[in-house]
Amino acid sequence: MQRTLSKLNDMLTGKKLVFVFYTISICFFYWFCRKAGFVSDYIDFEQNYNKCGFIHYSDCAGLKNMRYLQHAFSYSLFKTVGSDHWLWWFLYSGMHAVAGYLGYRVLVELFGKFEIKNAHLIAFLSAWLFLTSPYQTEVVVWRVCIQYITVQICLFASVLLLLEQETKQSYYHVFFNWILFLTALFSIEQAVSIPIVLIAVFIFLKIGNKTTLKTTTLILFVLPAFLSIAGFFVLSKIINGQWITHYGTTAFEHFVSIKTGARYYEYFLKNIFFLRQLDYNQQEKLYNFLQETYVFVIIVLLF
């Protein structure tokens, strides 16, 4: 059994092969959804694109958000090929495959540092489960969701750049990390999590004595991001008259809170035990229970 696993692991060391497999299989996997994606949000987008154009889109459509890159992508694709075209399916499926591939690369790097056996095989299957999970379908199929895939790609790529900085020290890594962050930030505000993830990875490796990266290197990676976040919110205030748009201030007021922490447990349980199949009222009772302070503390202590 161990010999078989080792052979499979060796086969997966070819990174190009993994990427090609992910791309072809995911495109096939979502071929059956190629005509889907016309949710109400996207229909509104198309109507406003036709009415307003791209330059005056925000003012004309009455929207207050800073998701300029999301709309640049959707507008360009809509105006180039229209609504009902295979290119939508191919780009969304392909970008989803890229996100999974980068996740695979991140896991291979981390597993390698901890000398885990069959690291490539474990990473391959982990990323494959991510790619084929039905919980990713909304992001891949719905035509308003390209920004989520963008943030995921930028996140994994930033982690890779940080890990590679240990062996290939270059200021280009720092610069490209910042460009990736700006790309994610002007796609959707969830990008603010990227520097926090980088800090978490750094601390994780330091605790395990598995990296020679210096704290100054981490600062070079995350400081431009935090400064950009501050500038982003100032720009939002100037342009839109609000510090925080789209999800609103309430989402950010709970960014570090028991309510937000409980969300992780909610989504974990929802995925593992298919809680969406429960009656809605039963779901709400369970989720409210998880948000109780004593329940949250007990779960944290158990972990």
Side-chain angles (χ1 to χ4, degrees):
M1 182 64 178
Q2 183 59 45
R3 185 179 299 175
T4 302
L5 291 175
S6 297
K7 287 183 178 180
L8 288 172
N9 185 71
D10 293 340
M11 288 174 59
L12 295 169
T13 56
K15 296 173 183 176
K16 291 181 180 178
L17 178 63
V18 172
F19 176 68
V20 170
F21 174 80
Y22 281 168
T23 303
I24 294 175
S25 57
I26 294 305
C27 284
F28 173 77
F29 190 79
Y30 281 103
W31 171 254
F32 306 99
C33 304
R34 64 191 180 281
K35 299 291 185 180
F38 295 96
V39 292
S40 58
D41 294 21
Y42 176 72
I43 294 171
D44 288 341
F45 283 1
E46 282 197 354
Q47 291 173 343
N48 287 320
Y49 289 155
N50 284 326
K51 181 176 67 173
C52 309
F54 179 69
I55 300 298
H56 302 289
Y57 176 76
S58 295
D59 294 334
C60 174
L63 297 177
K64 290 188 175 181
N65 61 58
M66 305 279 281
R67 291 154 52 186
Y68 298 132
L69 293 182
Q70 178 209 0
H71 288 297
F73 176 89
S74 300
Y75 178 85
S76 300
L77 197 55
F78 169 61
K79 286 297 184 179
T80 303
V81 300
S83 299
D84 191 10
H85 196 278
W86 61 267
L87 195 58
W88 289 90
W89 150 80
F90 179 74
L91 288 176
Y92 278 59
S93 299
M95 289 183 68
H96 184 49
V98 170
Y101 171 73
L102 291 174
Y104 159 80
R105 290 281 307 279
V106 167
L107 290 176
V108 166
E109 292 292 329
L110 291 176
F111 291 164
K113 290 181 179 297
F114 285 88
E115 300 176 354
I116 294 175
K117 290 183 179 180
N118 302 316
H120 287 84
L121 179 59
I122 299 171
F124 173 81
L125 293 175
S126 299
W128 178 243
L129 287 172
F130 162 75
L131 287 171
T132 57
S133 168
Y135 285 103
Q136 312 303 333
T137 300
E138 177 184 324
V139 175
V140 184
V141 173
W142 285 14
R143 300 186 179 184
V144 295
C145 291
I146 194 64
Q147 67 273 28
Y148 299 110
I149 304 179
T150 302
V151 171
Q152 192 71 56
I153 289 173
C154 292
L155 170 61
F156 283 146
S158 291
V159 174
L160 271 178
L161 288 173
L162 178 65
L163 295 175
E164 289 181 0
Q165 185 71 2
E166 186 171 12
T167 55
K168 303 176 183 178
Q169 295 186 11
S170 171
Y171 285 110
Y172 286 110
H173 287 171
V174 177
F175 174 73
F176 285 128
N177 172 71
W178 182 56
I179 295 300
L180 286 168
F181 179 74
L182 291 179
T183 301
L185 188 61
F186 283 94
S187 296
I188 197 166
E189 297 90 332
Q190 287 173 332
V192 298
S193 63
I194 292 178
I196 298 173
V197 171
L198 293 178
I199 292 172
V201 170
F202 178 82
I203 293 174
F204 179 70
L205 292 174
K206 278 295 184 183
I207 291 174
N209 294 318
K210 299 298 181 179
T211 183
T212 58
L213 285 172
K214 297 180 181 179
T215 305
T216 52
T217 301
L218 177 67
I219 292 173
L220 287 174
F221 269 78
V222 301
L223 183 59
F226 285 122
L227 292 175
S228 298
I229 291 171
F232 178 83
F233 289 137
V234 170
L235 192 61
S236 177
K237 181 67 173 178
I238 294 172
I239 296 174
N240 299 313
Q242 298 177 12
W243 290 104
I244 301 170
T245 57
H246 192 53
Y247 283 112
T249 54
T250 54
F252 285 86
E253 286 170 357
H254 296 291
F255 190 68
V256 181
S257 66
I258 288 177
K259 182 177 181 179
T260 300
R263 288 288 182 189
Y264 289 98
Y265 304 128
E266 290 176 18
Y267 279 102
F268 176 77
L269 293 173
K270 186 184 296 185
N271 285 327
I272 299 299
F273 296 109
F274 300 101
L275 296 184
R276 284 185 175 177
Q277 307 306 317
L278 293 178
D279 176 76
Y280 180 78
N281 292 327
Q282 292 177 325
Q283 291 183 50
E284 286 299 298
K285 288 180 180 178
L286 177 58
Y287 297 153
N288 290 332
F289 176 71
L290 290 172
Q291 290 180 24
E292 294 288 344
T293 303
Y294 74 93
V295 176
F296 179 81
V297 172
I298 289 173
I299 294 176
V300 170
L301 291 175
L302 284 173
F303 273 118

